[in-house]
Amino acid sequence: MIERKEIDIEARSVFKRYIKNQDNSTYNHTNMFMWSRKSGITYAVTEGCLALFFQFGRQPVSVSFPMGDGDRRMAVRSLSAYIKEQGLTPVFRNLSASMAKELCELFPNCFELVEDRSAADYIYETESLIHLNGKKLHAKRNHLNYFKKNYLYQYKRLEQADMPDCLELFDRWVEEKSDMRWLSGSREATVRLLENFERLPVRGGGIYVDNRLVAFSIGEAMTEDTVLIHLEFAADLRGAFNVINSEFCANEWSAYPFVNREEDMGLPGLRQAKLAYRPVRLLTKYNAVQKVPIL
């Protein structure tokens, strides 16, 4: 029997038990904890594996690839049966290439794979984000240098006591971007992370000008060589986003070769902004739609 559970703080120990060195941002506890209430994400353990369930708004429930050292073949069968019992076509969502390959090997010709470009993670070289070297990053480097030349700023590692200032900056940024109403939907996720900052394995960094927070970023070590950035916001100052990006990586994550800045959600402006930083690769994700019964 599959028992779906809320992704709370305590669920982190469950994620750690079943998910190790995974660079797909969908399978990160903090990420799912932030968005679980807003996006209807839950988890369950079946056949010695961990699976995530997605139920956005009125969309039908779908499920992740089962993670862990249990019987993944039996786990897929169990998850498929659970969804079919609800009168739905089983869909396994947010699969990285290796997960999609394993699923198709376990059940040949049973699934149709559909690439989900809007869910692809953007992976960058940390050194590139710190220094912004090269012709392709010339414009970004100009913004960074402008900020450094025109503002006397201080970088600070953030603590729980700084989170109200972060929320104030986030709300101010949303107001300034009133044409981007989709951002209001991310407030609950942002608040959930900020309120639990010290209880999660995250680090935060802030940029201060005249003792006022003008930019902040929060992330965590995701794998042995990759950092995951959960939040990044800045005031409407030229170069503020560039400087927090650079300083956060330089001060907190220089020992990690790569930075995962998550997906663009299919939003044209966000996609353009992420591509402008020249990712070294995209972590492609697939949705697997079950076409025939699995045996």
Side-chain angles (χ1 to χ4, degrees), residues 146-216:
Y146 178 90
F147 189 96
K148 289 184 173 182
K149 180 179 179 180
N150 288 275
Y151 298 99
L152 183 62
Y153 73 90
Q154 175 188 10
Y155 173 85
K156 173 186 173 183
R157 179 179 286 189
L158 300 178
E159 301 175 353
Q160 186 69 58
D162 301 307
M163 295 303 108
D165 290 339
C166 292
L167 182 57
E168 180 184 354
L169 176 57
F170 169 80
D171 285 338
R172 188 166 68 248
W173 188 79
V174 170
E175 291 176 2
E176 293 170 351
K177 305 293 182 181
S178 58
D179 58 324
M180 301 170 68
R181 286 174 292 177
W182 63 270
L183 281 169
S184 61
S186 69
R187 192 178 191 277
E188 183 176 346
T190 300
V191 169
R192 203 170 195 210
L193 175 56
L194 299 181
E195 288 182 344
N196 293 279
F197 179 80
E198 287 188 340
R199 302 178 67 194
L200 294 164
V202 298
R203 297 183 200 172
I207 300 295
Y208 288 80
V209 174
D210 295 330
N211 294 317
R212 185 185 185 191
L213 182 69
V214 299
F216 76 94

Side-chain angles (χ1 to χ4, degrees), residues 17-79:
R17 191 180 315 144
Y18 294 97
I19 302 175
K20 298 178 176 63
N21 211 36
Q22 176 56 243
D23 60 357
N24 183 330
S25 67
T26 300
Y27 299 82
N28 173 265
H29 169 259
T30 302
N31 195 11
M32 294 299 98
F33 170 76
M34 289 173 60
W35 291 96
S36 60
R37 289 180 178 171
K38 184 66 181 178
S39 301
I41 307 171
T42 54
Y43 80 94
V45 174
T46 181
E47 305 295 342
C49 298
L50 172 69
L52 306 174
F53 292 86
F54 312 104
Q55 197 161 9
F56 309 107
R58 296 182 179 180
Q59 294 183 14
V61 64
S62 57
V63 68
S64 74
F65 189 72
M67 304 294 292
D69 297 327
D71 190 334
R72 286 194 288 273
R73 177 188 292 273
M74 288 301 299
V76 169
R77 288 175 174 166
S78 176
L79 296 167

Side-chain angles (χ1 to χ4, degrees), residues 13-147:
S13 62
V14 182
F15 275 62
K16 287 179 65 177
R17 191 180 315 144
Y18 294 97
I19 302 175
K20 298 178 176 63
N21 211 36
Q22 176 56 243
D23 60 357
N24 183 330
S25 67
T26 300
Y27 299 82
N28 173 265
H29 169 259
T30 302
N31 195 11
M32 294 299 98
F33 170 76
M34 289 173 60
W35 291 96
S36 60
R37 289 180 178 171
K38 184 66 181 178
S39 301
I41 307 171
T42 54
Y43 80 94
V45 174
T46 181
E47 305 295 342
C49 298
L50 172 69
L52 306 174
F53 292 86
F54 312 104
Q55 197 161 9
F56 309 107
R58 296 182 179 180
Q59 294 183 14
V61 64
S62 57
V63 68
S64 74
F65 189 72
M67 304 294 292
D69 297 327
D71 190 334
R72 286 194 288 273
R73 177 188 292 273
M74 288 301 299
V76 169
R77 288 175 174 166
S78 176
L79 296 167
S80 172
Y82 174 83
I83 294 178
K84 288 183 71 175
E85 286 170 1
Q86 301 180 55
L88 301 171
T89 297
V91 178
F92 289 77
R93 193 175 298 278
N94 292 312
L95 278 61
S96 60
S98 61
M99 298 172 191
K101 181 175 182 289
E102 181 175 350
L103 181 65
C104 291
E105 289 175 346
L106 289 173
F107 301 99
N109 305 314
C110 291
F111 290 89
E112 177 186 357
L113 296 181
V114 181
E115 180 180 344
D116 187 354
R117 175 62 180 82
S118 65
D121 287 342
Y122 288 74
I123 312 296
Y124 304 83
E125 292 181 336
T126 308
E127 285 295 309
S128 177
L129 295 181
I130 293 173
H131 301 293
L132 299 176
N133 290 329
K135 292 183 179 180
K136 293 182 178 180
L137 292 172
H138 177 73
K140 298 294 185 185
R141 191 165 62 254
N142 281 347
H143 291 313
L144 177 67
N145 290 336
Y146 178 90
F147 189 96

